[in-house]
Amino acid sequence: MNEIFRSDIRLEGLLMRKSLLITANGHQPSFVISQPWWTAMDQKSPHPSDNEIDDFMQNVGFTKQQKSYFGWIKEDIVIIDARVDNFIKTIEGVVPVDLVICRS
């Protein structure tokens, strides 16, 4: 997130705890993070529209992956879970706050 979107997400710690998945056994890692607070431009409607997210992601060079879970790709970077509730529409523009990102 920080490299791609110039975010300021910080890793604060790592917890090992029982998995929240019903069928999973054992312990799984949970990351504790912090990130800046973003104030929505409209408190009653804090998220951008699907079209605004599409425009934002295309403007930073990503291509939408139609048969995926809200997925986008750019070279070797894959993003999933880019749903409206993982973005905030601020005075500064659209801000991603909780995307799943990996290098393929």
Side-chain angles (χ1 to χ4, degrees):
M1 286 285 291
N2 292 346
E3 181 181 328
I4 298 165
F5 298 112
R6 296 188 180 111
S7 304
D8 188 21
I9 296 174
R10 298 176 186 195
L11 177 62
E12 303 291 350
L14 175 68
L15 302 172
M16 293 298 290
R17 63 182 188 155
K18 187 174 190 269
S19 175
L20 298 176
L21 298 174
I22 294 172
T23 60
N25 294 321
H27 288 73
Q28 301 292 321
S30 293
F31 294 99
V32 179
I33 65 160
S34 64
Q35 60 185 331
W37 179 263
W38 293 97
T39 301
M41 186 166 55
D42 179 353
Q43 296 296 314
K44 293 180 182 174
S45 182
H47 305 292
S49 68
D50 287 328
N51 288 338
E52 289 170 316
I53 291 170
D54 289 352
D55 289 345
F56 172 80
M57 294 298 289
Q58 289 168 0
N59 285 338
V60 291
F62 283 86
T63 302
K64 194 173 201 172
Q65 300 302 292
Q66 295 300 326
K67 295 184 179 184
S68 67
Y69 188 73
F70 300 93
W72 293 82
I73 192 165
K74 175 183 174 181
E75 299 167 4
D76 66 337
I77 300 167
V78 176
I79 295 176
I80 59 171
D81 204 24
R83 309 173 301 185
V84 296
D85 58 335
N86 287 330
F87 291 85
I88 297 175
K89 186 175 178 180
T90 71
I91 293 172
E92 292 85 11
V94 174
V95 178
V97 293
D98 187 29
L99 303 179
V100 178
I101 302 174
C102 69
R103 291 196 187 272
S104 62

